[in-house]
């Protein structure tokens, strides 16, 4: 349960609580051979209590971890732990997170809630970042850490929790970087967001990244992690669609796109399915998606459906585009309102049950991450469309400091490990499958039935064609 912290916003408290829980789990795992679990948790609680009522918040988990590791690894009574500073200097901001919905106004991302966390004496900040929060009483004064560089980025919303993770913040800070991020739909990033004030753009697909590269004459890009498109559902729905031939059960359940498009084209409703007593509703069998006019996950879903509708061939040329557009438009127009970013429909899936969202198009990473946060229930089912596409999260550096972030995300082993914990696939397949197995999520270790997305211009034509259908 989140503790109440006077003067600190509820979302900041939730972030701290989540970071503390993850840090505690990491400590227990690292120290379990030498220290009883109860002792580790007791030490964490005692260290955490030292910061009660203090303005330091974003780095509390880091400070607590350092205190506990030092105390349990070397419980020398001559080592003194400095108390948290009480002097507040509002001008010193050591961390910022941007939370809230993705929205745009006048081409710029707006509706952002920035949570500035003022820190006390600069010596405490230096101690946090440099990792010298604990020193012997007679030790010489620690050198002041080099100032971190603030780097601003606009990213797909599904990566917000990764950048908000205190462990990610720490690794970046250890490398002299503090990242501030704002969320937006990937297609928005490539088309309507004013990138002038950002150091990097981090959409969720190669086509969106390539558009940015073309517009700004940039050749460099980084693809530190990826995630295939998946379809989340519930056990009663999965049973119905298994009987209808859409879902193929197995160690990893698959979602037959050919059979699904047949049902969608015929306008089959849920209450048309034989022996349907679990979900007898009079609405079409449709996968809920985001808005294809702004969001990458919907564009990836469109790529899959377009490939299947085009006789299992990648859509190329005006004739093929016109051939598949009626099928694609129907999949989106029949949904009604759709969100701009992938967090919207997935959160509805997690919180509202199968009534409003029996089927939802998501990134595999979202499901794996939610399982790590205890949000996946036994009646939830993850399936993979056959075929599927791989959403390659691609960072385009707009400045030299943005390039530093791209290199770190690609090359730093700690950041790759943390990306896997957030459900993303990196170059280390074993790390990802290990995380999924620990969370009891059946995932495809090796993705076989994967197709390429159409060329950028073709995908834009298809998306524009669907957008025109809305009008």
């Amino acid at each position: 349960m989140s503790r109440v912290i006077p003067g600190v916003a509820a979302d900041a408290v939730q972030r701290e609580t989540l970071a503390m829980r993850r840090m505690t789990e990491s400590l227990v795992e690292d120290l379990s051979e030498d220290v009883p679990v109860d002792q580790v948790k007791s030490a964490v609680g005692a260290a955490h209590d030292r910061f009660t009522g203090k303005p330091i918040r974003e780095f509390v988990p880091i400070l607590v971890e350092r205190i506990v590791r030092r105390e349990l690894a070397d419980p020398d009574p001559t080592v003194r732990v400095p108390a948290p500073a009480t002097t507040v200097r509002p001008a010193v901001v050591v961390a910022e997170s941007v939370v809230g919905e993705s929205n745009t106004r006048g081409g710029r991302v707006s509706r952002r809630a920035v949570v500035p966390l003022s820190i006390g004496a600069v010596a405490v900040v230096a101690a946090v970042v440099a990792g010298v929060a604990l020193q012997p009483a007679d030790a010489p004064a620690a050198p002041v850490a080099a100032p971190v560089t603030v780097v601003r980025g606009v990213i797909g919303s599904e990566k917000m929790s990764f950048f908000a993770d205190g462990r990610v913040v720490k690794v970046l800070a250890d490398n002299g970087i503090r990242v501030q991020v704002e969320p937006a739909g990937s297609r928005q990033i490539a088309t309507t967001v004013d990138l002038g004030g950002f150091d990097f753009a981090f959409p969720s697909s190669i086509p969106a990244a390539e558009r940015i590269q073309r517009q700004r004459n940039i050749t460099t890009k980084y693809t530190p992690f990826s995630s295939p498109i998946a379809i989340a559902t519930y056990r009663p729905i999965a049973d119905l669609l298994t009987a209808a031939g859409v879902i193929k059960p197995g160690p990893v359940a698959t979602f037959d796109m050919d059979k699904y498009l047949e049902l969608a084209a015929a306008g089959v409703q849920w209450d048309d399915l034989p022996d349907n007593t679990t979900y007898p509703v009079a609405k079409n069998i449709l996968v809920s998606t985001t808005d294809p006019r702004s969001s990458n996950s919907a564009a990836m879903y469109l790529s899959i459906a377009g490939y299947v509708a085009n006789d299992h061939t990648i859509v190329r040329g005006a004739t093929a585009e016109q051939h598949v557009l009626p099928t694609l438009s129907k999949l989106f127009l029949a949904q009604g309102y759709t969100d701009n970013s992938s967090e919207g429909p997935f959160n509805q899936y997690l919180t509202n049950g199968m009534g409003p969202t029996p089927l939802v198009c998501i990134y595999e990473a979202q499901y794996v991450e939610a399982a790590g946060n205890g949000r996946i229930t036994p009646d939830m089912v993850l399936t993979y469309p056959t075929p599927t596409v791989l959403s390659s999260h691609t960072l385009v550096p707009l400045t030299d400091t943005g390039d530093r972030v791209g290199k770190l995300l690609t090359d730093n082993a700690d950041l790759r490990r943390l990306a896997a914990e957030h459900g993303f696939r990196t170059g280390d397949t074993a790390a990802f499958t290990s995380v999924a197995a620990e969370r009891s999520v059946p995932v495809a270790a090796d993705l076989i039935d994967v197709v390429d997305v159409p060329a950028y211009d073709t995908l834009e034509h298809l998306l524009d064609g669907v957008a025109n259908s809305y009008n």
Side-chain angles (χ1 to χ4, degrees), residues 108 152-153 194-199 398:
R108 289 300 306 272
R152 298 187 67 239
D194 180 2
L195 299 177
F198 293 102
D199 297 293
L398 307 175

Side-chain angles (χ1 to χ4, degrees), residues 4-89:
V4 176
I5 302 176
V8 181
D11 56 349
V13 175
Q14 291 173 356
R15 289 197 302 273
E16 180 180 318
T17 300
L18 178 59
M20 286 294 300
R21 187 178 74 210
R22 288 174 172 167
M23 180 272 296
T24 302
E25 292 172 352
S26 177
L27 280 174
V28 168
E29 181 179 354
D30 292 348
L31 304 176
S32 59
E33 292 186 3
D34 303 311
V35 183
V37 173
D38 289 344
Q39 185 178 348
V40 175
K41 292 183 177 180
S42 177
V44 169
H48 198 192
D49 287 342
R50 301 184 189 193
F51 297 92
T52 300
K54 304 301 179 183
I56 304 172
R57 294 268 56 100
E58 191 79 10
F59 278 89
V60 163
I62 299 171
L63 284 167
V64 170
E65 179 181 7
R66 295 192 183 283
I67 292 172
V68 173
R69 286 189 182 278
R70 181 63 63 90
E71 287 182 347
L72 297 183
D74 183 22
D76 187 340
T78 64
V79 177
R80 295 192 308 182
V81 180
T86 57
T87 303
V88 180
R89 296 185 182 179

Side-chain angles (χ1 to χ4, degrees), residues 130-167:
V132 291
L134 303 169
Q135 297 186 36
D138 57 350
V144 176
V148 296
T149 300
V150 176
V151 186
R152 298 187 67 239
V154 56
I155 67 173
S157 62
E158 67 288 331
K159 294 183 282 287
M160 285 297 291
S161 60
F162 171 77
F163 281 101
D165 188 328
R167 298 168 299 172

Side-chain angles (χ1 to χ4, degrees), residues 245-433:
V246 177
I247 289 181
K248 312 293 184 183
V252 177
T254 59
F255 189 94
D256 189 327
M257 287 296 293
D258 279 285
K259 186 64 176 177
Y260 164 68
L261 290 184
E262 288 179 16
L263 297 180
V268 176
Q269 296 186 328
W270 289 103
D271 58 0
D272 293 328
L273 296 178
D275 302 320
N276 177 5
T277 59
T278 56
Y279 195 69
V281 295
K283 62 181 183 180
N284 290 342
I285 299 175
L286 286 173
V287 175
S288 298
T289 72
T290 48
D291 191 330
R293 294 169 293 184
S294 59
S295 174
N296 178 71
S297 60
M300 296 297 98
Y301 173 71
L302 176 144
S303 299
I304 298 170
Y307 177 89
V308 174
N310 197 41
D311 300 321
H312 286 256
T313 304
I314 295 175
V315 179
R316 292 187 179 92
T319 300
E321 292 168 11
Q322 294 305 313
H323 171 64
V324 301
L325 264 175
T327 298
L328 301 181
S329 297
K330 185 174 183 178
L331 296 178
F332 293 99
L333 292 178
Q335 291 185 55
Y337 172 78
T338 50
D339 280 281
N340 285 334
S341 69
S342 57
E343 286 302 297
F346 186 58
N347 281 332
Q348 188 177 37
Y349 167 82
L350 292 175
T351 57
N352 295 339
M354 68 182 185
T357 51
L359 296 165
V360 60
C361 176
I362 64 169
Y363 296 110
E364 172 195 65
Q366 292 176 287
Y367 195 97
V368 175
E369 181 180 45
N373 295 332
R375 302 189 68 188
I376 299 300
T377 59
D379 67 327
M380 294 179 176
V381 177
L382 179 68
T383 73
Y384 290 82
T386 53
T388 189
V389 296
L390 194 63
S391 183
S392 300
H393 296 260
T394 305
L395 185 149
V396 179
L398 307 175
T399 65
D400 290 342
T401 53
D403 190 74
R404 288 175 60 193
V405 174
K407 288 178 179 176
L408 280 171
L409 292 175
T410 304
D411 299 333
N412 186 280
D414 289 330
L415 290 176
R416 291 200 304 271
R417 173 180 57 81
L418 291 170
E421 290 193 25
H422 281 268
F424 294 107
R425 293 176 182 249
T426 66
D428 188 349
T429 302
F432 169 77
T433 54

Side-chain angles (χ1 to χ4, degrees), residues 104-117:
T104 56
R105 182 176 302 162
R108 289 300 306 272
V109 177
S110 61
R111 189 174 168 80
R112 47 181 295 216
V114 181
V115 183
L117 302 172

